[in-house]
Amino acid sequence: MTSTTHKQRQNQGQNQGQNQGQNQGQDLGRGRGQDQGQDRGQKQGQLHLHTPFSDGEITLDLLLAAPYDFVAISDHDTMEGISTYGQLEQITGIEVIPAVEITCQFEGKKLHVLSYWPDQSSQEFKGALAKFRYDRSTRTQETISLLSQNGFDISMDDFSKYGKLIVKNNIAHEVYQKPKNRARLEKEGITSESAFKKTYLTPGSKVYPELKRPDATKILPLSKGVLVLAHPGRNLKLGAEDYLVKKLIDQIGIVGVESGSRHHAPEQNVHYYNLARSLGLITVQSGDVHRTDQINSNIETYSALAKLKRAKEVSRRGTTPYAPSNNYAAQNSLACTAEGLF
């Protein structure tokens, strides 16, 4: 496929992506209505997307038909898919940004942090990711075994069709779709997959073992990437835990916030956009794409990617990031402000 074909495909999908973003409250929720005029005509793409290398269903073929000029391959806790999906750049001209979504713990809160251009050569970083994937896989197998022991019709064989990462949504779906399980759950007053998750797949449940997540202050510095806090509205209490974002800047050196997310309510998008701006952080919009029906969700303009690229260059020209003792976050913010990055 030539880059000309890609351009034709991009033109066909561009209006659809823009319209869907507006329907989701993009201008208000992102807080960027005043910038829309200068964004028109820019390249567009997706800065948060998952493939079968973790829990997504977005294959290479699906990306060939997507209205993207660029895409960040950001699977959960693995960089395995980056080289495979990097072929897109040579085949179609779609720019592929290597990334990884890192699961971690910070001051008692579960967080997801996107690392763009992570160090793919670091054995220490890859080892830390592999250990957590192993621990999470073990917990998944234990959960399914415990559900079976507690009378549910479920086994690991039911999950052969999924990617390398099995998540709570997958478990809930496989349990609830079976008539025997559904009949039992309805007697317990559980009438949906969501209700099943809240009852059985939450901390403290006898069939859902605890999972120790990596310490953010240890694993994030190992990535040596440009760090962006993903969908904070899913993990932080609105307003009450804003101080944790400031701590992530001071202690770890995050440079951005995914302020526009399909997971957020409009008021959350507005709140985290304003918070990011007040802290001098880059604001990013994304669809956190896992399924085909999300491909056109929260498409981002190239201007956001350009800011992330400039942050990468600033960090590599300056002091070594991710070492709190060298006050990188403050220095990086000053340098980026001087260059008009934010």
Side-chain angles (χ1 to χ4, degrees), residues 164-293:
K164 294 190 176 183
L165 171 60
I166 298 170
V167 296
K168 289 195 291 186
N169 287 344
N170 305 144
I171 297 173
H173 177 72
E174 293 302 323
V175 168
Y176 196 76
Q177 73 167 345
K178 295 187 176 184
K180 176 184 174 182
N181 295 334
R182 190 179 306 172
R184 166 184 167 171
L185 291 170
E186 287 176 352
K187 290 180 181 178
E188 297 176 11
I190 298 172
T191 57
S192 68
E193 293 179 17
S194 176
F196 173 79
K197 284 193 299 180
K198 290 180 181 178
T199 303
Y200 283 93
L201 303 181
T202 56
S205 167
K206 63 182 180 180
V207 299
Y208 198 65
E210 290 293 327
L211 176 65
K212 184 177 180 180
R213 296 171 178 85
D215 183 338
T217 63
K218 295 179 179 178
I219 194 168
L220 295 180
L222 294 178
S223 80
K224 299 181 181 177
V226 174
L227 301 175
V228 172
L229 178 62
H231 43 66
R234 294 190 72 182
N235 305 107
L236 301 179
K237 295 178 182 177
L238 192 70
E241 294 180 331
D242 289 352
Y243 71 95
L244 290 173
V245 180
K246 179 65 165 61
K247 284 193 170 186
L248 286 167
I249 299 172
D250 295 339
Q251 297 182 29
I252 301 172
I254 68 165
V255 301
V257 169
E258 195 177 66
S259 57
S261 170
R262 69 175 176 84
H263 300 292
H264 289 172
E267 60 270 21
Q268 290 177 306
N269 283 344
V270 172
H271 177 84
Y272 286 110
Y273 174 83
N274 290 332
L275 176 64
R277 297 292 290 179
S278 72
L279 295 174
L281 295 172
I282 298 170
T283 56
V284 172
Q285 171 172 279
S286 88
D288 190 6
V289 176
H290 288 75
R291 305 191 310 267
T292 55
D293 62 338

Side-chain angles (χ1 to χ4, degrees), residues 30-143:
R30 179 96 189 271
R32 287 204 323 162
Q34 62 187 11
D35 296 333
Q36 291 304 305
Q38 67 189 39
D39 285 345
R40 290 193 188 99
Q42 284 195 44
K43 293 179 179 180
Q44 295 185 322
Q46 182 56 246
L47 288 173
H48 188 167
L49 179 141
H50 297 272
T51 79
F53 281 92
S54 62
D55 63 338
E57 62 181 44
I58 310 303
T59 62
L60 280 168
D61 287 342
L62 288 171
L63 279 179
L64 290 175
Y68 298 161
D69 293 294
F70 60 86
V71 62
I73 303 302
S74 51
D75 281 309
H76 291 284
D77 307 299
T78 181
M79 299 180 288
E80 292 180 40
I82 292 173
S83 59
T84 298
Y85 282 75
Q87 301 174 53
L88 284 170
E89 203 153 322
Q90 299 174 341
I91 298 171
T92 69
I94 297 175
E95 182 177 358
V96 177
I97 300 96
V100 57
E101 184 173 11
I102 302 169
T103 307
C104 55
Q105 197 90 359
F106 185 71
E107 298 204 359
K109 301 295 294 188
K110 171 189 171 182
L111 297 178
H112 286 178
V113 177
L114 292 158
S115 178
Y116 296 99
W117 303 283
D119 185 357
Q120 298 179 62
S121 66
S122 171
Q123 294 302 316
E124 188 176 8
F125 179 48
K126 289 192 288 187
L129 293 177
K131 181 183 184 306
F132 177 66
R133 292 198 305 272
Y134 175 81
D135 291 344
R136 183 174 53 202
S137 176
T138 299
R139 195 268 296 270
T140 296
Q141 293 176 53
E142 290 177 356
T143 297

Side-chain angles (χ1 to χ4, degrees), residues 42 47 70 117 282 300-313 341:
Q42 284 195 44
L47 288 173
F70 60 86
W117 303 283
I282 298 170
E300 181 60 283
T301 60
Y302 193 84
S303 59
L305 175 57
K307 290 178 182 180
L308 293 173
K309 287 183 174 181
R310 290 168 65 187
K312 177 181 68 170
E313 294 307 313
L341 178 56

